[in-house]
Amino acid sequence: MIAAVMSSLKVHISDLQGLLRRLDDRFYSAYEDTLSNIVGAMKSGSKILVFGNGGSSADASHFAAEFVGRFMKERSALPAISLTAESAALTAIANDYGYDRVFVRQIEAYGRPGDVAIGITTSGKSANVIAGLKAARARGLATMALAGQRGLAEPAADIVISVPSDRTFEVQEVHKIVLHSLCADVETTLFP
């Protein structure tokens, strides 16, 4: 039993290493543009609004917490809000307006020109994430998305970091690497 588990772990790690080797210049360019937008927003006193569903919801909350708390450095708190963290707002909006509007309403409440909206969707098809990004763009926010190999089903973001895989768990694992790297690079840039 243990040998089979270890074999599965080794295969999983090998597959992930192969995926990481397939990341191309477009991936890294989108990352660099996303980092630049986040740093610019934070330097000007604007904030990050981040959102997603399921595992991406957890990633959004984790990402925001790293800015408000800290990642690796003792530093000032940075303004980031996870639009997935407030269950009362999510359920009230879903009940009153429909689940497709849970992020739209919060963007309308919190989003201001100069802010950055980051939608996370492994499939690229999450209707509420796409709607949230469209609402953010209409309000003058910079819009970024993390997605899988298909990107976004609709052109709703200025920048899309696409992971070249259609396996949800692999896309999520690379998203975690991207989000942690953004935290580290933002800290290093703003607090040298």
Side-chain angles (χ1 to χ4, degrees):
M1 179 66 167
I2 297 296
V5 170
M6 291 306 291
S7 175
S8 175
L9 175 63
K10 288 178 181 178
V11 167
H12 185 96
I13 289 172
S14 177
D15 288 349
L16 184 57
Q17 289 170 328
L19 173 58
L20 294 172
R21 282 191 291 275
R22 290 196 312 272
L23 301 178
D24 60 15
D25 288 343
R26 287 175 301 175
F27 176 90
Y28 291 108
S29 178
Y31 174 88
E32 188 175 318
D33 291 344
T34 299
L35 174 63
S36 177
N37 274 273
I38 293 171
V39 167
M42 290 187 171
K43 279 184 175 179
S44 70
S46 296
K47 64 189 164 299
I48 309 306
L49 302 173
V50 58
F51 48 95
N53 297 297
S56 298
S57 168
D59 289 344
S61 291
H62 181 171
F63 184 61
E66 299 289 18
F67 285 124
V68 175
R70 66 170 174 176
F71 186 62
M72 296 190 318
K73 290 184 172 193
E74 286 298 330
R75 51 151 173 86
S76 302
L78 296 170
I81 300 170
S82 170
L83 302 185
T84 65
E86 179 54 57
S87 62
L90 286 175
T91 56
I93 296 165
N95 185 60
D96 295 347
Y97 297 97
Y99 194 67
D100 286 358
R101 306 242 333 138
V102 294
F103 303 131
V104 170
R105 289 295 289 183
Q106 293 183 82
I107 292 289
E108 290 169 352
Y110 305 125
R112 301 290 177 265
D115 291 344
V116 172
I118 301 174
I120 308 172
T121 167
T122 58
S123 69
K125 299 185 290 187
S126 300
N128 59 356
V129 172
I130 290 171
L133 289 167
K134 286 180 176 179
R137 180 183 275 165
R139 291 183 70 82
L141 283 72
T143 56
M144 278 106 233
L146 276 70
Q149 73 180 2
R150 292 179 186 89
L152 285 182
E154 299 179 43
D158 303 320
I159 301 164
V160 180
I161 299 175
S162 295
V163 178
S165 175
D166 59 1
R167 297 168 74 180
T168 299
F169 68 93
E170 286 184 342
V171 174
Q172 289 173 327
E173 288 166 350
V174 176
H175 284 176
K176 285 180 184 9
I177 293 169
V178 168
L179 294 170
H180 279 154
S181 296
L182 286 168
C183 291
D185 289 340
V186 167
E187 279 191 346
T188 299
T189 304
L190 294 179
F191 303 95

